[in-house]
Structures are given as structure tokens and as C-alpha cells.
Amino acid sequence: MTQKLRILALLLAATSWMCGPPRRPGETSGGRAVLQNKGSDTLVNVAQAWAEEYQTVEPNVAVAVTGGGSGTGIASLINGTVDLANSSRKLKDSEAEQARANGHDPVEFIVGYDALAVYIHNDNPVETLTLEALADIYGEGGSVDEWADLGVEIPGCTSGEMVRVSRQNNSGTYAYFREAVLGNNDYKLGSRDMHGSKDVVDLVERTPCAIGYSGLAYKTDHVKVVCIAKGDDPSDCVVPSVESAIDKSYPVARPLFMYTRGEPEGAVKSYLDWILSDEGQCILLDKGYAPAKPVDCSNPIAGSE
Amino acid sequence: MPPLGSLSQDLDRRDFDWYADKLVEILVFAGGFSAIILILGIFFFITREGLGFVFSSLDIVEFFTSPRWRPTSELNATYGAFALMAGTASITGMAMLIAVPFSIGAAVYIAEFAGPRSRETLKVLVELLAAIPSVVWGFIGLTLMNSLIIEVFDVPVGLNILNAGLILGLMAAPIMTTIAEDALKAVPDHYREAAEAMGATKWQVTRRVVIPAAKKGLAAAILLGVGRGFGETMAVLMASGHAINIPGSIFDSVRALTATIAAELGETAVGSEHYRALFTLGIFLFTITFVINLTADIIVRGTRKR
């Protein structure tokens, strides 16, 4: 334990040396407050859009946005180097404890929802899959290893091998898919573990035999999105979309989180309030995610378009 | 500090030049020693982060024989690195199959056969090849080669041993060519002259005299290429498919040790078991590259002493 603490102290010392002394949230530097915001790659695009737009709302507050993945954001929250951590998965109990041990009590906010789409190659004739079939494809002990096991033949994929595309094992997307589809069972070994939401879609686009999962916001015209059925009846499926994520009919939609250190106050609180306001939520909707609450975006937002 | 010897009477006056001289001497001394301090520091850091794990919770048998690398499992975290080792070994092996004939051939041509002008052009081009960043190589592998391999070989996925090995071979070839060419150049000219005087053709001279005389240097060049292959990260991460898999053919996706560390370390909580397991991979990798580079160095020293 002392060993761990010492390592942590060393790391803290190193980071605080690099970033200046640890700041209180909302502390001003030269009349401007700078908020550190870090984490999820799923959220990074919209977090950047928020930060930019917030400049026009509150010129005295600058928000510095960094990606790196949900784990990175949470690790920074534990170490106390960020004001807001973005995450596409819920904080684990062990992580919350670690943060509390360092004196940062994490507070959770749901800032939106994201439908996790299952992507296949455009030449793939599959239209629908049940959650059970997905678990058989991805889960340890699952019976589906080849497209023929589903009775599917794909032009350009002569071997019929199913190329499973997944994410690296500490991404929030990986953890959510495991929870929602595999019931926290292990993944089958041998999946191609890509290092980003976009890489998954890129690989599926180029590989006729492939199947992969990634956020709906990364959809392009060069890939096909599968309609997912919750029960056994494939015709009872739901296409992932912002609407089906809002009304929760799509079975693989997940909340997107922001975590603060302690109850937010000052600049952090006003920023979060603004994100959860209609203006902030409309920016999120514009980026292809589902808002946390019903919003009316018929009035064009100043600055966008 | 070594005595300055006969120069000392000139340096009796402690003027600006004397101090400048001293300062430079200290800087050079510090520069020389910093390499040693840094390498010891890195070794100390990796060992401290990883070794605790090795002795407390690591199952050594599982680590070396099980392919199950599941550090974030909800059911039962396992740390089998066998598939990762097989991945690194297969990619490096593939890379050497490609790079060794190419780079040794190029070195022989540049050192023995090329005229002065084509030699200079070739050397510049080879060095240019070494200047391409590895992420660019990785990108070529991910986009261009992936589609190409699928089309040409009709395989399900193009991110595999062949792709990563080809990319890595091209990356390792320049450094191997340069070192192999140095080794060939180091063979004294009177060896060649003696052989030519006995009526040997250019090819006979190269094959029977120059290459045997330079064989240790050539072996060192190959070993350094192997070391490069073990250590390369970014290109391998992008081109290998990054799939935990014990390969059965060159068209299988695999995952390398280095790529695993690169992909997972950034998102791991400091001090967690997963974090320390990654450092254990680091210790393993460090040991292997250290032994390879040391062997290459000893071989090179062996040739110089003769």
C-alpha cells in the first residue's frame, strides 16, 4: 500500500510539475477560468463543440478538452488533474473508492445517450440480428464462428470466416457492449481490437467478412447498420437512431457521463448547467447523439450552421 | 577528471577560455554519463512497477503458456501472454524473411558493385526510407495493404502477419542495409586485391572473400534488425489486426507485445493489477531486446578487435 502511495505521489508530483500547481476548479489565471475536461473518445467531438460554443456564452471561461478514452479521463479524475471527466461507461465502485481515498468525491451527470450500432460491410446481405445471435458471435463459448452458421453468404468473402472487430479492453464502448450484449461474459479471443471508434468503422468498410460495433455517430455511407432485435423474433427489430435511443426502444443505447470532483460549484457548475440546457443539448443532437432530456431545437442555435 | 597533461602550462591562466574549456569538459562528461544513468533509471522504473506483480500475483506458468490475455474480465482476469509472444515472434520472423535478403543484397551491391554515383544516390535513398515515421507505415498497412491483401490472396482480413511483417521488413531494411554495408566496407582492400590477383571474378571475390570476412558484421546487422522488429510498436499495432490469436498461417491476425502495452497502458489506472501486468510485459520485452542488442554489440566488437 505504501508502495502504491509512493508511486502515486511521484506521479502526482511529476504531473503537477508539468501542469503547474494543482488548481481549484474555476480558479482564474489572468482573469480567465480554465476548466480541464478529459476522457471518452466517444464524447470528444461533442465535448470540443461544447467548449467552442461556450466561449461565446461565457468568454471568461476556457474549457480545455482532451480525448484518450473513458479510462484516461477517470484515471485523471482519481488523480485530481481534471475538473470534468467524460466517460461512456459508469464509474466502477473500485474507481469511486480510489477517488475518494484521494479526496475527490466523484459526482455523476448523464449528459446524453449514444446508440451503439452494429456495423457490417455494404455487400453483406444481413439485415437483422438478435441480441442472442450477437452474444453467440462475440461471447466466449458462443456457437457462431462463420457467416455460414447464420446461413449467410457474402460476395467477396469466400472463406466465410467471420471477422469480429472489437475495441481495446479498457475502452468504455468495450465495457458497455460486454455488459449489454454479453451479460458481462468474456469476449471470445481472436477479435481484432481496434484503438478507436472510427477505426472500427474504417476496417468494416474495407473488409467484406467483418462485423463490428461502434457509436452511431461514426456511421458513414460505406457501411451498413444492422437492425437489432431484443427478443427471439428477428422481425421485431429496432434500427439504431437518435429517436430510438431517446425512447429507449433500441436495446444497445448507453448513457454518456460527465463526472466532477465533488458537488460542482462556480464555473464548473455553470458549464454543466449550460451543457444540460436546451442550447447545450441541441449541440449534442447535432453531432448525432441523443439528448439526455427532450429538447426543442427548432430555433437554430447562434453560431452553428 | 583526467589530467590535461602537457597542455596544462598553457592553461595556467584562468581566463574566459579556461572556464569555457572546463564547462565544455563537464558538459561532455555529463552527456557521456547520462546514457548510463538513463538506462539504469529506465531499468529501475520498469522493474519497480512490474516486479512486485511478478512475485505477488502473477502465475508464471499461465503467463508463458496461456493465450488468455483478459486483464479487464468481469469474471476472472487472466494474464496469459503466450499469444502475444507468438504474435511478436511471428511478425518479426516474417519481417526478417523479407528484410534479410533485401538488405544484405542491397548492401553487397552498394559496397561492392555500384559505381560511385549510383552508390551515393542509393545511400541517400536508403537513408530516406529510414526517415519515414512508423505511423505512416502503419497507415499504409491499415488502408492500402489491407484491401490489397484481401483482393490478391482472397483472405477474410488483410490485417495479418503478412501485412505487419512486410511493413516491418521495409522499416528494418534501411538500418540493416547501412550496418551491413559498413561491415563490408570494413573488409580491407588488400583482401580483394589479393583475390583479384589470383584471377577471381568480381562475384567470386564477393562471395568467397568479402562476405566470409564480414560475416560477423552481417550477423550483427541482422540481429539489430530483429531488435528493431521486437521493439516496433505503432506500425505493428495498426497493421497486425491486434487480435489475440496463436497464428496458424501468415494470413492470421495476431497481436504483438509492444502493441498491447501501447493500446492498454494509457487507459489503465496507475498501480492496478492490469497496469503492473503491462509493466511485466515491459520487463520481458526489455530483457529480450537487451540480450539481442548486447549480442549484436559483442559480435561487432569481435570484428573490430581482429
Side-chain angles (χ1 to χ4, degrees):
Chain A
M1 195 61 215
T2 48
Q3 170 85 349
K4 264 188 204 166
L5 278 177
R6 233 182 298 148
I7 294 166
L8 209 71
L10 202 80
L11 200 95
L12 265 178
T15 42
S16 57
W17 173 70
M18 283 185 284
C19 325
R23 300 162 317 104
R24 298 280 311 143
E27 186 178 297
T28 52
S29 65
R32 276 184 108 203
V34 180
L35 303 183
Q36 294 295 335
N37 179 204
K38 194 173 189 175
S40 170
D41 272 332
T42 310
L43 260 171
V44 71
N45 286 339
V46 61
Q48 252 150 11
W50 276 332
E52 269 169 41
E53 190 61 30
Y54 199 58
Q55 286 287 290
T56 60
V57 179
E58 191 63 73
N60 282 329
V61 177
V63 184
V65 179
T66 333
S70 303
T72 315
I74 290 169
S76 312
L77 189 81
I78 293 171
N79 298 338
T81 54
V82 290
D83 302 315
L84 288 153
N86 306 335
S87 177
S88 59
R89 65 169 169 83
K90 230 177 152 57
L91 203 67
K92 290 182 203 152
D93 290 343
S94 58
E95 289 165 339
E97 260 165 51
Q98 268 180 295
R100 257 176 244 125
N102 289 352
H104 316 295
D105 189 17
V107 182
E108 176 182 297
F109 294 88
I110 293 179
V111 295
Y113 290 89
D114 178 31
L116 208 57
V118 172
Y119 293 98
I120 50 176
H121 193 265
N122 260 345
D123 294 344
N124 194 324
V126 170
E127 297 291 342
T128 66
L129 284 171
T130 61
L131 277 184
E132 204 187 330
L134 275 179
D136 279 339
I137 291 168
Y138 275 100
E140 176 75 47
S143 54
V144 178
D145 290 310
E146 292 185 357
W147 286 103
D149 295 338
L150 294 174
V152 177
E153 223 170 89
I154 306 163
C157 175
T158 36
S159 69
E161 187 193 327
M162 194 176 262
V163 175
R164 280 167 288 129
V165 185
S166 184
R167 289 291 307 278
Q168 86 273 16
N169 59 27
N170 42 17
S171 97
T173 311
Y174 172 98
Y176 178 73
F177 191 83
R178 180 170 63 189
E179 184 193 318
V181 177
L182 308 185
N184 273 337
N185 182 18
D186 281 321
Y187 282 90
K188 246 181 238 176
L189 294 172
S191 56
R192 279 74 183 172
D193 303 338
M194 295 292 111
H195 201 235
S197 302
K198 196 174 166 296
D199 293 353
V200 172
V201 182
D202 278 354
L203 181 59
V204 172
E205 181 186 322
R206 286 168 220 281
T207 316
C209 301
I211 180 167
Y213 60 86
S214 190
L216 183 63
Y218 290 89
K219 182 186 185 316
T220 68
D221 293 341
H222 310 288
V223 285
K224 197 164 150 186
V225 167
V226 181
C227 186
I228 306 288
K230 207 168 185 175
D232 294 334
D233 182 10
S235 63
D236 202 20
C237 70
V238 182
V239 178
S241 66
V242 171
E243 291 74 33
S244 62
I246 294 173
D247 66 21
K248 309 227 163 40
S249 57
Y250 184 67
V252 215
R254 56 181 170 165
L256 302 170
F257 301 100
M258 271 192 171
Y259 286 93
T260 58
R261 300 182 335 198
E263 273 305 324
E265 46 189 49
V268 178
K269 184 173 180 351
S270 4
Y271 185 51
L272 260 173
D273 287 347
W274 177 80
I275 284 174
L276 294 170
S277 74
D278 280 9
E279 195 178 346
Q281 290 293 299
C282 287
I283 295 174
L284 178 101
L285 185 67
D286 187 47
K287 290 279 168 193
Y289 299 91
K293 51 157 197 165
V295 284
D296 176 21
C297 298
S298 46
N299 300 326
I301 321 149
S304 76
E305 295 303 309
Chain B
M1 211 78 40
L4 289 171
S6 62
L7 281 172
S8 60
Q9 60 255 47
D10 300 332
L11 298 169
D12 269 351
R13 279 172 302 122
R14 299 200 164 193
D15 56 6
F16 175 76
D17 286 347
W18 187 86
Y19 283 109
D21 198 65
K22 270 277 176 233
L23 184 72
V24 169
E25 194 184 309
I26 290 167
L27 278 179
V28 170
F29 180 78
F33 261 76
S34 67
I36 298 174
I37 290 166
L38 279 176
I39 198 85
L40 283 178
I42 290 169
F43 187 72
F44 175 73
F45 176 68
I46 300 180
T47 323
R48 194 191 54 183
E49 298 287 299
L51 214 57
F53 181 73
V54 174
F55 289 123
S56 61
S57 27
L58 181 71
D59 180 346
I60 296 278
V61 178
E62 178 189 85
F63 186 76
F64 282 104
T65 60
S66 161
R68 290 173 195 286
W69 178 257
R70 280 191 179 123
T72 59
S73 170
E74 291 282 333
L75 306 175
N76 177 27
T78 50
Y79 299 96
F82 180 65
L84 312 181
M85 295 172 196
T88 291
S90 57
I91 294 171
T92 311
M94 185 77 217
M96 289 307 114
L97 278 182
I98 292 158
V100 168
F102 266 103
S103 53
I104 301 292
V108 167
Y109 179 74
I110 292 173
E112 301 298 318
F113 293 92
R117 278 192 63 178
S118 59
R119 171 182 305 159
E120 286 315 307
T121 323
L122 277 173
K123 282 179 85 163
V124 169
L125 286 178
V126 165
E127 273 151 30
L128 261 182
L129 201 62
I132 299 174
S134 67
V135 68
V136 173
W137 283 116
F139 189 71
I140 293 172
L142 192 61
T143 56
L144 208 76
M145 302 262 296
N146 179 30
S147 314
L148 200 69
I149 289 176
I150 292 179
E151 242 172 72
V152 173
F153 296 101
D154 195 20
V155 289
V157 69
L159 301 180
N160 50 27
I161 299 176
L162 179 68
N163 190 337
L166 213 62
I167 295 280
L168 199 59
L170 288 172
M171 290 176 74
I175 185 170
M176 290 167 70
T177 308
T178 309
I179 296 172
E181 192 223 331
D182 283 348
L184 293 171
K185 279 273 137 211
V187 174
D189 269 345
H190 57 250
Y191 280 35
R192 296 185 182 83
E193 284 154 12
E196 270 164 24
M198 292 175 78
T201 64
K202 187 82 189 157
W203 174 239
Q204 284 169 328
V205 172
T206 306
R207 195 167 68 91
R208 308 286 284 272
V209 177
V210 179
I211 291 181
K215 67 171 186 281
K216 281 184 173 175
L218 296 179
I222 292 169
L223 274 180
L224 281 173
V226 172
R228 178 97 167 85
F230 264 86
E232 175 51 40
T233 307
M234 203 56 213
V236 169
L237 172 62
M238 293 166 84
S240 67
H242 206 55
I244 298 175
N245 191 13
I246 293 172
S249 88
I250 58 166
F251 297 115
D252 282 347
S253 297
V254 290
R255 193 201 270 207
L257 289 159
T258 47
T260 303
I261 299 177
E264 295 177 8
L265 190 62
E267 294 196 28
T268 310
V270 174
S272 65
E273 270 209 348
H274 184 192
Y275 176 86
R276 292 185 297 156
L278 290 174
F279 269 92
T280 310
L281 291 185
I283 295 178
F284 180 71
L285 207 58
F286 188 84
T287 315
I288 290 183
T289 35
F290 185 74
V291 167
I292 290 172
N293 282 356
L294 193 71
T295 316
D297 204 52
I298 289 169
I299 292 174
V300 170
R301 263 162 222 283
T303 46
R304 291 235 181 92
K305 262 188 200 143
R306 264 181 330 116

